[in-house]
C-alpha cells in the first residue's frame, strides 16, 4: 500500500500547526510534512512541536537547505529528534532556492558539491562515526555525536535536475520530489536515482517521496488553476476533485515509482484541518 501524507504549508502561521497536526494524528494520516522555506518557519522547531503534540503521526521535514546549515548542527538536531521520537521522523536536505540562499548570504558556487559533502558527513555522523573531513564546503575535525540515533535515521535528499537526482541515489537514503515533477517526472527521477545507486554499488530499495498538489471542495478546480498559474506549473501537474479522483492521481504517482505520495494543498486552502482529515479518512482507504 502506498504511504500517504499531507503538507502543513508554512504560509500558515506557526500557531496553526498544533490543530492541524492533532487532526492528522486523530484521523490516522500516515505522515505530515513541513517545509523550511525562507523566510517563513523553521523545519526543526516545527517538527519537534508537531511530534510532541501527537502520538502516532510520522513527521517529515522536506527540506532543510544545506547552505544555511552547518552539518554538525544538522546532525545534532536530527539525532535529538530521532532519540526523542524514534521511528516517527523523516528529514530531507537539499540545495534550497538559490535566490533565497543569496539573500541570506549563503550562496554557494557549487550547490551539488555542497550537497554531496553534507550528505556524506551527515549520514556518517548519524551512524555514530567519528568524522574528520576537509572538503570544499564541509570541514569537521574529529567530530562524533555523543547521542547518535538508537534507531535507523535515513536521510532523504530533495532533487529535480538529473545530476542531483543521480546524486540522491549515490549518497542519500531516499529521494524527495517537489510537486512540479508530475507523473513523468517521478518516473524519470526513479530511473536516475536507481542508476546513481547502482553506480555507487549500493543495494536495496531506494524510497522515493513525491508531493502532489491537490484540492477538494466546491471551488477546488478554480483554486488549483490559480495555484498552477501562480507557481508557473503546467496544467495537469495538480489534481482537483473528490476522493476517488485524488486517489487515482496518487496511484498514478505510485505506478511511476513513488513509494510515498504527499498531498500538498493550495496556498489558499480554506480548511487545513479538514484537508488532512480528508486525506486520511477518504483518500487513504481507497489506496488499499
Amino acid at each position: 500500500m502506498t504511504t500517504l501524507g499531507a503538507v502543513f504549508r508554512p504560509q500558515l502561521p506557526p500557531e496553526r500547526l498544533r490543530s492541524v497536526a492533532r487532526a492528522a494524528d486523530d484521523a490516522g494520516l500516515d505522515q505530515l510534512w513541513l517545509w523550511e522555506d525562507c523566510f517563513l518557519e523553521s523545519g526543526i522547531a516545527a517538527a519537534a512541536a508537531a511530534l510532541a503534540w501527537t502520538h502516532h503521526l510520522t513527521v517529515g521535514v522536506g527540506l532543510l537547505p544545506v547552505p544555511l546549515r552547518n552539518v554538525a548542527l544538522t546532525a545534532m538536531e536530527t539525532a535529538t529528534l530521532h532519540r526523542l521520537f524514534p521511528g516517527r521522523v523523516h528529514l530531507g536536505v537539499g540545495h534550497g532556492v538559490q535566490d533565497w540562499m543569496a539573500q541570506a548570504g549563503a550562496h554557494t558556487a557549487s550547490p551539488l558539491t555542497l550537497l554531496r559533502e553534507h550528505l556524506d558527513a551527515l549520514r556518517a555522523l548519524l551512524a555514530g562515526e567519528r568524522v574528520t573531513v576537509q572538503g570544499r564546503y564541509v570541514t569537521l575535525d574529529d567530530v562524533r555525536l555523543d547521542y547518535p540515533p538508537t534507531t535507523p535515521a535515513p536521510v532523504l535528499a530533495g532533487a529535480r535536475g538529473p545530476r542531483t537526482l543521480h546524486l540522491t541515489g549515490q549518497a542519500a537514503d531516499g529521494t524527495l520530489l517537489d510537486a512540479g515533477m508530475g507523473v513523468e517526472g517521478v518516473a524519470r527521477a526513479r530511473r536516475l536515482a536507481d542508476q546513481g545507486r547502482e553506480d555507487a554499488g549500493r543495494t536495496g530499495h531506494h524510497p522515493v517521496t513525491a508531493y502532489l498538489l491537490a484540492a477538494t471542495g466546491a471551488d477546488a478546480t478554480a483554486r488549483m488553476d490559480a495555484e498552477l498559474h501562480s507557481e508557473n506549473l503546467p496544467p495537469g501537474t495538480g489534481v482537483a476533485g473528490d476522493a476517488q479522483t485524488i486517489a487515482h492521481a496518487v496511484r498514478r504517482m505510485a505506478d511511476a515509482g513513488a513509494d510515498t505520495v504527499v498531498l500538498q494543498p493550495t496556498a489558499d486552502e480554506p480548511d487545513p484541518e479538514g484537508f488532512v482529515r480528508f486525506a486520511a479518512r477518504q483518500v487513504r482507504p481507497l489506496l488499499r
Side-chain angles (χ1 to χ4, degrees):
M1 178 177 168
T2 305
T3 300
L4 188 69
V7 178
F8 174 87
R9 293 184 62 148
Q11 285 82 5
L12 293 168
E15 56 269 24
R16 192 71 180 271
L17 175 59
R18 183 174 185 170
S19 62
V20 175
R22 286 189 165 177
D25 196 40
D26 292 343
L29 187 66
D30 297 323
Q31 299 179 359
L32 183 70
W33 282 79
L34 312 171
W35 297 350
E36 189 164 84
D37 274 3
C38 297
F39 297 93
L40 294 166
E41 293 164 15
S42 158
I44 295 293
L51 287 160
W53 287 326
T54 56
H55 302 286
H56 311 289
L57 186 67
T58 293
V59 175
V61 180
L63 47 77
L64 302 172
V66 297
L68 288 179
R69 294 182 151 272
N70 182 285
V71 69
L73 178 61
T74 305
M76 291 162 59
E77 291 181 322
T78 302
T80 299
L81 286 180
H82 276 278
R83 289 187 70 118
L84 289 172
F85 307 100
R88 295 179 55 203
V89 183
H90 289 313
L91 293 182
V93 297
H95 299 310
V97 177
Q98 295 307 297
D99 288 347
W100 291 343
M101 299 302 101
Q103 280 183 274
H107 181 266
T108 54
S110 178
L112 194 69
T113 300
L114 169 57
L115 182 58
R116 177 58 187 259
E117 292 181 0
H118 195 103
L119 280 168
D120 288 346
L122 179 58
R123 293 179 67 239
L125 289 168
L126 293 175
E129 299 176 16
R130 189 176 298 277
V131 181
T132 296
V133 62
Q134 183 69 51
R136 180 175 177 182
Y137 296 106
V138 173
T139 299
L140 296 172
D141 182 12
D142 196 32
V143 175
R144 181 181 181 277
L145 297 179
D146 286 274
Y147 296 104
T150 57
T151 57
V155 177
L156 282 64
R160 173 176 280 192
R163 294 173 64 199
T164 309
L165 286 164
H166 187 268
L167 173 63
T168 65
Q170 289 183 312
D173 300 307
T175 299
L176 182 63
L177 307 175
D178 67 36
M181 298 294 282
V183 172
E184 292 183 3
V186 171
R188 177 176 61 91
R190 162 60 71 192
R191 291 192 299 270
L192 288 166
D194 284 347
Q195 185 61 57
R197 195 168 185 81
E198 181 180 338
D199 292 345
R202 302 178 69 189
T203 58
H205 181 66
H206 182 85
V208 171
T209 298
Y211 291 128
L212 172 63
L213 269 168
T216 192
D219 60 347
T221 299
R223 287 192 290 111
M224 180 56 64
D225 289 345
E227 180 86 5
L228 295 176
H229 178 73
S230 68
E231 297 295 329
N232 196 29
L233 294 174
T237 304
V239 57
D242 60 11
Q244 290 279 1
T245 301
I246 292 174
H248 176 71
V250 171
R251 286 193 292 269
R252 291 186 66 215
M253 299 282 272
D255 290 343
D259 301 278
T260 297
V261 177
V262 182
L263 301 182
Q264 176 181 319
T266 59
D268 60 352
E269 166 59 50
D271 182 10
E273 292 84 358
F275 184 84
V276 298
R277 293 189 191 100
F278 167 78
R281 293 175 177 168
Q282 296 188 48
V283 179
R284 187 173 180 268
L286 300 176
L287 303 178
R288 295 193 178 108

